[in-house]
Amino acid sequence: MSAALAFEWTKLRTLRSTWWCLAVAAMLQVAYAVLVGLDARLDLEGSGGSSTLPVGDAGLLSIQFAQYALIAAALLAITGEYSTGTIGVTLRAVPLRGRMLAAKAAVVAGGAALTGVVLTLVAAVAAGLAAGTPAVWGIGDLLVDCATGAGYAAALAVFTLGLGTAARSAVGGLTAVLVIAVVLPTVLPRIGLDVVADVNDYLPGSAGVAVLYGAVSDAATDQPYGPAIGLLVLAAWAAAALGTGYAVLRRRDA
């Protein structure tokens, strides 16, 4: 297994697309965090309000803009191999398909978690510097927010990887991710049935909202569950998606 992990790590870190996606994710997350910080400063200076900004909140919430670049990186980690034909080389190097996919998932999840920690921390610092006086530097809360960002990013990346493995194409994988995680949570609430609302609460997009908005200092009380349950729901979706991807990978030729 260690050889498979090293093999997948080498591929992931040497892909140019990985670094492009990470650069875009960093730009989007930091830019949004700076805007949040400037908004808090202007609220204080312009209206004399008592606005405060816990920097960890800004760092965590800004990941919702960086997540699309992370989705692209996770998708390309598997669909890029199908589009270039290198999936055959991968399977010759690691003939056991379950081991190959498990190693790829571990590497992608680890990379996404590390990215989540770093970007949440950097975005929080950027928001705090932009905010100035309203910034609240709660180190304990910031560490919790970084850990939450890591878990969210890792679960989202594995979920995407699983669907990408099943779809075998970037377009198909991206469509599946967006429909399940974005479109359905937006459309289903318009259906006035309690059972549909209950189902919608446990879709990946709804769980993501519970994670990100439930972990902030002024979290809304109308969430169906808290961030810890939200992470468990996301992890369950990630496991299901990865299982689906493995079923397709095992039964179809590369």
Side-chain angles (χ1 to χ4, degrees), residues 113-253:
L114 179 60
T115 301
V117 170
V118 173
L119 291 188
T120 301
L121 180 60
V122 171
V125 172
L129 294 177
T133 302
V136 177
W137 298 87
I139 302 302
D141 291 338
L142 178 58
L143 292 177
V144 172
D145 288 333
C146 286
T148 302
Y152 177 81
L156 181 64
V158 174
F159 173 71
T160 302
L161 177 69
L163 292 183
T165 305
R168 295 182 155 207
S169 74
V171 174
L174 182 60
T175 301
V177 171
L178 292 181
V179 168
I180 297 174
V182 179
V183 176
L184 287 180
T186 303
V187 173
L188 290 183
R190 300 179 182 179
I191 302 175
L193 295 176
D194 291 341
V195 65
V196 174
D198 292 339
V199 169
N200 183 63
D201 287 341
Y202 290 91
L203 289 176
S206 302
V209 170
V211 172
L212 298 181
Y213 287 89
V216 297
S217 56
D218 58 345
T221 58
D222 58 349
Q223 296 288 347
Y225 44 80
I229 300 299
L231 282 175
L232 290 177
V233 172
L234 277 178
W237 275 99
L242 195 64
T244 301
Y246 172 65
V248 173
L249 181 66
R250 185 182 62 181
R251 295 177 183 176
R252 296 179 61 181
D253 294 334

